[in-house]
Amino acid sequence: MTTTAAAGFAQRGASLLVLATLTMAPTIAAADEGGVSFWVPGFFGSLAAAPQQPGFSLATIYYHTTVSAGGDVAFARQVTRGNITANFTGNLNANLNASGDLAMAIPSYVFATPVLGQAAVALIVPYGRASTAIDATLNAAVGPIGFTVSGGREDSVTGFGDLIPQASLRWNMGVHNVMTYVTGNAPIGAYDSRRFANLGIGHAAIDSGAGYTYFNPQTGDEFTAVLGFTYNFVNQSTQYQNGVDMHLDWATSKFITKQWQLGLVGYTYQQLSCDRGAGDRVGCFESRVSAIGPQLGYIIPLGELQGYVNLKAYKEFSAEHRADGWNAWLTFSISPAASSAPPPTQRRVVTK
């Protein structure tokens, strides 16, 4: 990328890429209660902390995930469905397989006037289908009575997921960019505690964190890392409360031209405290997983608007108490084209 082209791109494209990477999907089978958590790793990507262009924007996403798990997650899913309500010991030979296909609309608005920093709000609205299948043989005992149970079960659901509002603030200091955000879960999506597969998680949650982006428009080099923490409220249907979760999303890329972007993405997810509640019959059940994969992006000039297409994929590893596999995100977003004036966070703002 030439110096002139890179500098021009910085004005025209950075805010569009921020919109495209600030996306989130409902979890199909991930962590915590019965293998499901609020936070979906991979939510943040390249340029997550960079300034955005003021005005309304829209991102649309197709998200696919395929995961599998062994006896611990399959067993926990049975417990949280209410199939097992007594304390007992046992051995479970089981396989859980799950997949999901989701379409998401993410309208957002960036305020032109700085409010402490550059302020933005967004709402994630998901719709799709999830399916989960379990094949298992359980050898267990309740007190002095032993038993063996074998069988299989498959569930699927189609509908809307939980609504996810988000607010953020950003600050720009040359090639350095900082952001902070807060988001949460409104549990109104398709959820039934008796099902294996759900598009909602059945409880409220709040998540907050901060991120950093290094972006040098002269060279096209970029690096982003966002660290966040989730607090989960009690699921009133199951009386189960997930522990506190920590997640780190990262991305690195290079713009080889003013339109083409190549790079890597990854994440690390770690539960910091034990699950609890009257409905917890699986113990601490702290979960973790990491992932890495490629990404490819392309900016589309659309006159007074700009389009952006991004494809990224993750292969998971080092999972514990969590279904793991792979997932892919295909994003198309549209935002206002940048004006010749610098973004609000690139101007000096004096506050009283």
Coordinates of all heavy atoms in Angstrom, one line a residue, residues 238-241 276-281:
T238 N -34.2 -22.4 35.8 CA -33.4 -23.6 36.3 C -32.8 -23.3 37.7 O -32.2 -24.2 38.2 CB -32.3 -23.9 35.3 OG1 -31.4 -22.7 35.2 CG2 -32.9 -24.2 33.9
Q239 N -32.8 -22.0 38.2 CA -32.2 -21.6 39.4 C -30.7 -21.9 39.3 O -30.0 -22.4 40.3 CB -32.8 -22.3 40.6 CG -34.2 -21.9 40.9 CD -34.3 -20.4 41.1 OE1 -33.6 -19.8 42.0 NE2 -35.2 -19.7 40.4
Y240 N -30.1 -21.7 38.2 CA -28.7 -21.9 37.9 C -28.0 -20.5 37.6 O -28.6 -19.7 36.8 CB -28.5 -22.8 36.7 CG -27.1 -23.4 36.5 CD1 -26.9 -24.8 36.8 CD2 -26.1 -22.7 36.0 CE1 -25.6 -25.3 36.6 CE2 -24.8 -23.2 35.8 CZ -24.6 -24.6 36.1 OH -23.4 -25.1 35.9
Q241 N -26.9 -20.3 38.2 CA -26.2 -19.0 37.9 C -24.7 -19.3 37.4 O -23.9 -19.9 38.1 CB -26.1 -18.1 39.1 CG -25.5 -16.7 38.8 CD -25.6 -15.8 40.0 OE1 -25.9 -16.2 41.1 NE2 -25.4 -14.5 39.8
R276 N -23.0 -21.7 40.2 CA -23.7 -21.9 41.5 C -25.2 -21.8 41.4 O -25.7 -21.7 40.3 CB -23.2 -20.8 42.5 CG -23.4 -19.4 42.1 CD -22.9 -18.4 43.1 NE -23.1 -17.0 42.6 CZ -22.8 -15.9 43.3 NH1 -22.1 -16.1 44.5 NH2 -23.0 -14.7 42.9
G277 N -25.9 -21.9 42.5 CA -27.3 -21.8 42.5 C -28.0 -23.1 42.9 O -27.3 -24.2 42.9
A278 N -29.2 -23.0 43.3 CA -30.0 -24.2 43.7 C -30.0 -25.3 42.6 O -30.1 -26.5 42.9 CB -31.4 -23.8 44.2
G279 N -30.0 -24.9 41.4 CA -30.1 -25.8 40.3 C -28.8 -26.3 39.8 O -28.7 -27.1 38.8
D280 N -27.7 -26.0 40.4 CA -26.3 -26.4 40.0 C -26.1 -27.8 40.6 O -25.8 -27.9 41.8 CB -25.3 -25.4 40.5 CG -23.9 -25.9 40.1 OD1 -23.7 -26.8 39.3 OD2 -22.9 -25.3 40.6
R281 N -26.1 -28.8 39.8 CA -25.8 -30.2 40.3 C -24.6 -30.8 39.5 O -24.4 -32.0 39.5 CB -27.0 -31.1 40.1 CG -28.2 -30.6 40.9 CD -29.4 -31.5 40.9 NE -30.5 -30.9 41.6 CZ -30.6 -30.9 42.9 NH1 -29.7 -31.4 43.7 NH2 -31.7 -30.3 43.5

